[in-house]
Amino acid sequence: MEYPKYVKVNDSDLMMALRQGMRPMMTWFDTSRRNLPYFYNYIEGKRYGNSHHESYSAVHTMGRWWDALVNASYITGEAVPEEIYENLRYWAFHIFDNKTGMPANLDLNTFEAVPLCDLHNLREALYAFTSMIKKNPADNQAKEMALHLIRMVDTYADFETGGWKTKQYENDCGGKVMCGASDSSEIYRFSSTLGRYIGALVRLYREWPLPQALSQAIRLTKTCFRVMLREDGGFDADLFAKHIHSTTSTISGVAMLGDLLHDRQILDRVRSFFENGFHEIALDFGWCLENAKRPDDLVGEINNTCDLMEACLCLGRAGYPEYYDMADRMIRGHVLPSQLLDVSWLPDEATKDPATDRFASRMRGAFGFPCPYGHEYEPGSPISFNWDIVGGGVSGLCQAYGHITSYKEGMADINLLFDMEDSSIRFRSPYEHKGDAEIMLKQPFCVRIRLHQGIQEEPLTAALNRQKIRWDIIDSWLYLYDLPLSVPVQFPMKYVPARVLYQFRDHGFYVRYEGNRITGMDCPGKRLCFFPELSEKNGKEQ
């Protein structure tokens, strides 16, 4: 394949990204294996196409797709064919239909269940039942299975150490457990198993306020603070996990619990991680290392980025607006650009193999393992878009959409600068409309808009004064008073260009910004790049 230097990207249209992200989740099923979702994806080489994993196809991908499709359909209004949900529902229940009572791995030769449970999948199994309940609050079968899983965890989790009572489980259930995200030295690492499951319990509680779910989330968070997430907020791969998504999903889940409970102590522990350990694994525009076992490359993972972004949203809602700014930068600077929308360089032939048929057309909308600057680390490096990740990417963007605006005490907050419209307000983002923001109120509110530190205040305030709009700027918020109803109010929100030098381990590169939009990045010799290349010396576009 001929790889271009650049690919076309989206960095501002959240709704389009959600719609495109839904597409592959409605097509990449293995029709030769009872419509089992695929897990692995490779763009070329010996593993070109899509294939299965013994536990991740039936649980990891399935659970993420449930979560993403239900939430994205609700936001976008795009209908998901009922047969898609039926395919996913079949696998959600089928993997529990075994003597152990836990989600079973598959024998990839026979595709029959084996009495081996991958504890890395606890989160995704519960995601599936939570999504069924959100789709149909009267789904008692899904409720029974969610409660069953919680009871199994209560019985066999060691809340003191964060481990699993393996001997008791084997004796009682006649099966074994493992963790596919861990090596032999990490086998029952808390973050890779029970830690990442905390967020699933919180999501379940928000849809179905089950006391057992809340109790278990709180007890597991106490375990997390004892065995992993210490007060200093540091990151130690030997304590957390070398599989970074295990760390980030645990951080996200703990933040979600703090947000649910309005517990500042929990959120301060998360904040401490962002101030310290975060910098060992990620950069502030959202790129996050995929795996600490490979310390010398810049291969990331969008699942990780979206976990961190979700934690930032929780901190932003708790009264730390700088984390809303970071979330905005992560979405605009990394999550959206990394979505595979330009598939012009991929093959698209019709084949009889469901793993490769119309490859390019069905790949559009995927998320994968991006580097800061593009899809490929260096020429010849593997490029992959594993199918659980499109679920994680779309799910994260759904969380972000819910935070664009918030309402309290007669005030409407614009937290993330993306286009949105609801029954109270319509907002048009300056990033999508040539530097001009626009607000139209449908109901009376005082409005405040989060300002980026690079805002050009003079043209903004001059425009407001010309329109005789009362305003204040306090800290990082623009307050607007007495806006007229049903009348669009427009004003400039332009930004002073900035150049930032990033260092991550042995790598260093410049990034050029206008607000939170990346307008250029060092990427000499790279292909499939998201942004115009800057010269290494002075950060100017070449």
Side-chain angles (χ1 to χ4, degrees):
M1 278 183 275
E2 292 291 330
Y3 290 177
K5 170 69 176 176
Y6 300 107
V7 289
K8 297 175 183 177
V9 301
N10 162 43
D11 70 356
S12 57
D13 192 337
L14 206 57
M15 192 67 75
M16 186 266 281
L18 288 172
R19 290 193 173 106
Q20 291 296 320
M22 293 173 71
R23 290 167 48 113
M25 291 186 283
M26 293 191 284
T27 184
W28 283 116
F29 295 91
D30 186 349
T31 54
S32 69
R33 299 293 180 187
R34 194 28 180 96
N35 292 311
L36 177 65
Y38 287 106
F39 175 75
Y40 289 116
N41 166 275
Y42 285 91
I43 294 303
E44 65 175 351
K46 293 180 179 180
R47 299 184 69 182
Y48 167 71
N50 300 285
S51 57
H52 293 296
H53 183 278
E54 62 183 348
S55 74
Y56 296 161
S57 292
V59 193
H60 230 61
T61 304
M62 175 277 298
R64 300 269 189 87
W65 286 11
W66 258 116
D67 176 63
L69 285 172
V70 168
N71 285 291
S73 178
Y74 177 79
I75 291 169
T76 64
E78 297 283 325
V80 177
E82 199 60 33
E83 58 264 30
I84 301 298
Y85 287 135
E86 288 302 318
N87 288 342
L88 295 172
R89 186 181 183 91
Y90 169 82
W91 286 105
F93 287 95
H94 180 70
I95 55 172
F96 278 89
D97 187 14
N98 65 86
K99 65 178 183 179
T100 70
M102 289 288 278
N105 289 8
L106 297 176
D107 181 323
L108 292 184
N109 293 313
T110 65
F111 285 84
E112 296 296 325
V114 295
L116 179 63
C117 173
D118 187 342
L119 296 176
H120 193 60
N121 287 324
L122 294 174
R123 177 187 190 234
E124 282 69 23
L126 193 57
Y127 270 9
F129 301 125
T130 299
S131 303
M132 293 178 204
I133 294 165
K134 180 167 187 172
K135 180 174 179 287
N136 175 15
D139 191 336
N140 290 325
Q141 191 179 17
K143 290 180 177 180
E144 288 172 7
M145 288 305 298
L147 183 56
H148 165 75
L149 182 57
I150 289 170
R151 286 171 173 162
M152 291 294 284
V153 172
D154 263 344
T155 301
Y156 297 109
D158 186 329
F159 289 86
E160 183 63 30
T161 66
W164 191 259
K165 299 173 183 176
T166 56
K167 293 296 183 184
Q168 181 182 341
Y169 175 81
E170 290 171 10
N171 291 336
D172 292 351
C173 302
K176 295 183 179 296
V177 294
M178 47 86 73
C179 178
S182 302
D183 61 24
S184 58
S185 66
E186 295 185 313
I187 185 61
Y188 301 122
R189 193 60 55 86
F190 176 78
S191 67
S192 303
T193 54
L194 296 164
R196 63 192 306 278
Y197 162 76
I198 294 170
L201 291 164
V202 176
R203 292 194 187 197
L204 174 65
Y205 186 81
R206 286 192 181 277
E207 297 301 330
W208 178 38
L210 182 69
Q212 293 94 323
L214 180 59
S215 170
Q216 194 170 89
I218 290 171
R219 285 178 289 133
L220 286 173
T221 297
K222 291 170 68 176
T223 306
C224 178
F225 288 175
R226 186 165 52 249
V227 305
M228 173 185 157
L229 189 57
R230 306 293 171 80
E231 288 186 10
D232 64 8
F235 173 80
D236 180 346
D238 291 328
L239 183 65
F240 283 60
K242 293 179 180 177
H243 176 252
I244 302 298
H245 185 218
S246 296
T247 290
T248 59
S249 52
T250 301
I251 296 295
S252 171
V254 170
M256 287 180 184
L257 181 65
D259 180 48
L260 174 71
L261 301 178
H262 305 287
D263 190 313
R264 188 56 64 96
Q265 284 189 316
I266 293 176
L267 292 170
D268 281 348
R269 188 72 66 100
V270 174
R271 235 179 118 212
S272 180
F273 175 82
F274 273 92
E275 292 172 355
N276 296 284
F278 171 87
H279 303 288
E280 297 295 318
I281 61 172
L283 300 172
D284 66 6
F285 60 83
W287 174 83
C288 180
L289 187 67
E290 188 263 334
N291 201 312
K293 296 175 185 176
R294 297 197 317 268
D296 58 340
D297 66 24
L298 288 173
V299 176
E301 182 177 338
I302 284 301
N303 279 328
N304 307 9
T305 300
C306 285
D307 289 335
L308 295 170
M309 179 264 289
E310 290 168 5
C312 287
L313 295 173
C314 295
L315 292 172
R317 181 149 57 192
Y320 302 107
E322 65 271 24
Y323 284 97
Y324 269 142
D325 190 63
M326 182 182 283
D328 188 294
R329 186 160 59 252
M330 288 177 170
I331 299 163
R332 201 178 305 280
H334 196 59
V335 180
L336 291 180
S338 75
Q339 187 178 29
L340 181 63
L341 299 176
D342 182 354
V343 296
S344 59
W345 50 283
L346 291 172
D348 202 34
E349 293 81 13
T351 73
K352 294 181 180 181
D353 183 352
T356 58
D357 183 41
R358 295 177 295 109
F359 194 68
S361 299
R362 298 165 69 200
M363 284 289 298
R364 184 179 291 113
F367 290 95
F369 299 94
C371 300
Y373 42 77
H375 292 306
E376 184 184 45
Y377 173 52
E378 58 187 14
S381 298
I383 303 173
S384 175
F385 296 87
N386 285 358
W387 289 116
D388 65 316
I389 303 178
V390 70
V394 170
S395 179
L397 292 178
C398 289
Q399 293 290 318
Y401 191 85
H403 281 259
I404 294 176
T405 55
S406 56
Y407 301 93
K408 60 180 181 295
E409 299 172 356
M411 187 178 300
D413 292 354
I414 309 294
N415 305 307
L416 307 174
L417 301 190
F418 293 92
D419 283 4
M420 64 75 57
E421 184 169 3
D422 61 17
S423 61
S424 300
I425 193 170
R426 185 183 76 194
F427 176 72
R428 295 292 177 258
S429 167
Y431 291 102
E432 284 201 74
H433 301 280
K434 299 180 179 179
D436 290 324
E438 182 183 279
I439 293 179
M440 187 183 77
L441 288 185
K442 303 177 184 182
Q443 298 181 33
F445 283 101
C446 292
V447 176
R448 68 174 187 170
I449 304 174
R450 184 190 51 75
L451 297 179
H452 182 270
Q453 62 182 1
I455 189 75
Q456 296 182 23
E457 283 192 21
E458 187 175 345
L460 166 62
T461 57
L464 295 173
N465 289 334
R466 281 195 302 272
Q467 298 175 76
K468 298 181 180 180
I469 294 170
R470 291 201 302 126
W471 59 272
D472 281 311
I473 293 178
I474 303 175
D475 296 326
S476 57
W477 294 99
L478 167 67
Y479 290 80
L480 301 174
Y481 311 109
D482 304 319
L483 293 177
L485 293 181
S486 304
V487 177
V489 175
Q490 193 175 89
F491 43 89
M493 291 184 69
K494 295 180 170 61
Y495 304 97
V496 178
R499 181 170 60 92
V500 179
L501 175 62
Y502 285 93
Q503 298 277 25
F504 186 82
R505 299 182 179 174
D506 294 332
H507 301 272
F509 53 92
Y510 283 102
V511 176
R512 187 178 187 274
Y513 287 98
E514 290 182 10
N516 281 329
R517 167 173 279 161
I518 294 177
T519 60
M521 185 180 291
D522 285 339
C523 51
K526 309 301 183 183
R527 308 182 298 186
L528 303 175
C529 297
F530 307 142
F531 313 108
E533 184 170 345
L534 302 180
S535 67
E536 193 170 320
K537 184 176 181 181
N538 57 20
K540 294 181 179 178
E541 292 185 23
Q542 291 188 338

